Amino acid sequence: MAKATKTFVCQNCGAVTTRWQGRCDSCGEWNTIIEEVGRSEVLPKGVSGGKGGRKIEFVDLKGAVENVPRRMTGIGELDRVCGGGLVAGSAILVGGDPGIGKSTVLLQAMGALAKSGAACVYITGEEAVDQVRLRAARLGMRDAPVQLAAASNVRDIVASLDAGAPPDVVVIDSIQTMFADSVESAPGTVTQVRTSAHELIRVAKRRGFVLFLVGHVTKEGTLAGPRVLEHMVDTTLYFEGDRGHQFRILRAVKNRFGATDEIGVFAMTDTGLAEVANPSALFLAERRGNVSGSCVFAGLEGSRPVLVEIQALVAPSVLGTPRRASVGWDSGRLNMIIAVLETRCGIALSAHDIYLNVAGGLRISEPAADLAVATALVSSLTGQPVPADAAVFGEIGLSGEVRAVSQRDLRLKEAAKLGFRQAWVPRQAGKAGADPGTRDGLAVKGIGHVQDVVSQFAEATAKPRATAGQKS
Ligand code: TYD
Ligand code: MG
């Protein structure tokens, strides 16, 4: 007989120890270690204690593969993020901060799907049935034939989903409230979340319905239960945005049935989430021309180009250590660009407070925004506006060189479409005649070094350096 072994698993970080401890060595949390019983090894037949196993069939890679049929939710942005519709039998995790709109978007999707004839089930462990009904009324979908239930016991839910004809789509809101009675820990702990999700995903695969799991994000920004769920599901979507802003972005971070980094843009209105088909126009809607410190970045979100305004404020500091604050952009990256501007272009910024903001509440993670950030900073420092019809992109290296970025043409096309007349982009080395030039009515200016941008604001920056040079 293989020996049943006791292991102790931290419910916070998943670390395994051989004995109980009050405090987890690996993450430092108290009272998170719980005993789990399991068999130590799987032994082959013939070895003492080995039970053996069934032999599995191996096949080769070629073979008839059916094109997976996809079910459209009727919410275009959601369909695109899912890779072009929902795949039967797949599990989709929708993560996000509390109150961001996860329940709203899923209820809207269920309503639209149900109206198109799909059998939809919405199971909530967080709200009472009446609360969901009120929300449905507000969303104008009272008549949608969605099957609604307030339940949290996984055994009951699995039994119900197993009985009768299988549904087409099931929403579990949220996985942290689900409770599997086969394990002893409380709802929301790693073991519970993992077991509940496992049971629900199994029934989804067995009966071939699409399963949406709602997952709350912890303070640190990970899905509660250290990303244990991300491995188990086919698709992970994050719903992000700032509660102070109207815009919500649904982002695919993992997708077995489509591209990741795809985004869907929504606006929260008093009748639910509305799709935003042209995000660039929306992010630039409140831009005013001729203000220093504002620069339009031609970015890329997934397969889609998105133009956003980057705003910088550079002001003399009264503090010993000047302030550096960045919203919507990595602050480490901001410090790097400040260092490059100081060292490679001789711009003194060490006595200035610097604030950076990506307008509209979008979060940018592309290094391609470097050049736009640098441009906004120099513009704010000199007080000279960036030309209102210029769109900028390019990555900056540590020596100040401007590096090429992906999807140059796509970015240029979007800028041209939105009426921009010039683009400041990385110089294309080796492509004679490519820069400078005109494309789609855009004057394309190739930038080889950040200094090329700085010298466009030359008068104000060059003077102090010239006088400094004369003195020495
Ligand atoms: P909700 O979907 O409950 O968030 P989550 O499930 O992610 O916790 O969203 C709740 C927020 O959305 C709440 O602050 C109110 C707002 N809201 C609207 O502005 N308009 C609406 O039509 C609805 C239904 C919600
Ligand atoms: Mg909710």
Side-chain angles (χ1 to χ4, degrees):
M1 268 289 290
K3 224 172 81 198
T5 49
K6 286 181 183 174
T7 48
F8 295 84
V9 180
C10 172
Q11 301 301 297
N12 184 52
C13 69
V16 181
T17 56
T18 48
R19 62 193 168 82
W20 190 86
Q21 285 164 241
R23 181 169 186 260
C24 174
D25 283 339
S26 118
C27 67
E29 285 293 314
W30 288 93
N31 285 332
T32 56
I33 293 186
I34 282 178
E35 180 184 331
E36 284 186 3
V37 182
R39 305 266 164 204
S40 59
E41 329 171 46
V42 177
L43 296 171
K45 223 172 188 161
V47 181
S48 79
K51 279 191 187 167
R54 206 157 44 84
K55 208 168 144 240
I56 54 172
E57 290 274 327
F58 293 98
V59 293
D60 43 30
L61 288 174
K62 62 176 192 290
V65 189
E66 297 162 41
N67 236 346
V68 270
R70 305 224 178 210
R71 185 183 288 281
M72 294 297 164
T73 60
I75 299 182
E77 297 289 297
L78 178 62
D79 287 335
R80 217 220 355 270
V81 174
C82 292
L86 312 176
V87 177
S90 68
I92 302 165
L93 176 66
V94 181
D97 289 329
I100 205 75
K102 301 181 293 295
S103 307
T104 308
V105 75
L106 289 177
L107 193 59
Q108 277 182 277
M110 289 311 102
L113 273 165
K115 278 187 183 154
S116 71
C120 298
V121 173
Y122 189 99
I123 298 172
T124 173
E126 301 207 325
E127 291 163 303
V129 166
D130 283 347
Q131 276 176 294
V132 182
R133 281 193 180 141
L134 269 177
R135 179 178 314 192
R138 189 168 164 185
L139 299 173
M141 38 170 279
R142 273 191 112 116
D143 308 326
V146 177
Q147 299 287 308
L148 176 65
S152 58
N153 188 324
V154 173
R155 190 182 294 277
D156 298 346
I157 294 172
V158 169
S160 319
L161 294 176
D162 254 336
D168 293 313
V169 187
V170 174
V171 172
I172 302 287
D173 188 3
S174 65
I175 190 65
Q176 276 99 355
T177 54
M178 293 297 132
F179 176 77
D181 52 19
S182 53
V183 276
E184 274 174 26
S185 37
T189 56
V190 175
T191 317
Q192 272 295 353
V193 165
R194 196 164 40 184
T195 314
S196 308
H198 185 73
E199 293 296 329
L200 292 164
I201 291 169
R202 261 195 18 202
V203 63
K205 302 266 176 230
R206 191 166 67 233
R207 307 224 74 200
F209 59 78
V210 180
L211 175 69
F212 278 102
L213 297 173
V214 173
H216 290 295
V217 165
T218 59
K219 282 188 270 1
E220 294 78 36
T222 53
L223 284 167
R227 322 202 89 147
V228 281
L229 285 179
E230 285 192 19
H231 309 296
M232 304 167 68
V233 296
D234 299 302
T235 302
T236 305
L237 309 178
Y238 272 93
F239 211 23
E240 28 178 83
D242 196 78
R243 252 184 283 176
H245 281 100
Q246 210 191 343
F247 317 118
R248 301 285 186 273
I249 289 158
L250 192 61
R251 190 186 293 277
V253 292
K254 164 183 174 177
N255 194 352
R256 286 188 184 145
F257 303 111
T260 51
D261 286 332
E262 201 63 75
I263 66 163
V265 183
F266 295 90
M268 184 60 97
T269 67
D270 48 5
T271 51
L273 289 155
E275 293 177 59
V276 176
N278 186 352
S280 301
L282 183 129
F283 288 125
L284 296 179
E286 284 165 54
R287 189 170 70 105
R288 297 158 180 232
N290 273 332
V291 181
S292 67
S294 151
C295 179
V296 174
F297 164 53
L300 204 67
E301 290 287 353
S303 60
R304 189 154 61 157
V306 176
L307 267 65
V308 281
E309 180 189 357
I310 293 188
Q311 303 173 326
L313 184 64
V314 179
S317 180
V318 291
L319 304 166
T321 314
R323 267 173 191 278
R324 301 279 139 98
S326 169
V327 178
W329 168 253
D330 179 37
S331 55
R333 197 97 201 158
L334 172 64
N335 287 331
M336 190 200 92
I337 291 167
I338 294 170
V340 169
L341 285 173
E342 290 199 312
T343 317
R344 307 294 179 191
C345 308
I347 298 175
L349 289 166
S350 54
H352 288 85
D353 288 336
I354 294 178
Y355 303 92
L356 193 84
N357 178 38
V358 178
L362 193 70
R363 260 207 71 81
I364 299 179
S365 52
E366 268 192 298
D370 290 354
L371 191 60
V373 170
T375 308
L377 289 174
V378 179
S379 160
S380 175
L381 179 72
T382 60
Q384 295 180 20
V386 180
D389 60 356
V392 181
F393 62 86
E395 182 181 343
I396 296 177
L398 285 183
S399 62
E401 84 278 16
V402 176
R403 302 168 149 255
V405 299
S406 63
Q407 301 288 5
R408 174 189 175 100
D409 290 346
L410 207 60
R411 297 172 200 261
L412 289 175
K413 261 209 190 92
E414 177 78 359
K417 200 171 90 191
L418 282 151
F420 285 82
R421 315 275 353 141
Q422 51 177 313
W424 300 359
V425 307
R427 181 174 294 153
Q428 280 187 317
K431 282 202 182 174
D435 296 316
T438 316
R439 283 195 52 121
D440 307 320
L442 269 181
V444 178
K445 193 182 281 181
I447 310 274
H449 193 277
V450 211
Q451 183 63 48
D452 300 352
V453 166
V454 174
S455 39
Q456 315 232 10
F457 302 88
E459 302 93 72
T461 43
K463 264 181 223 148
R465 274 201 289 147
T467 41
Q470 280 160 12
K471 266 182 211 157
S472 59

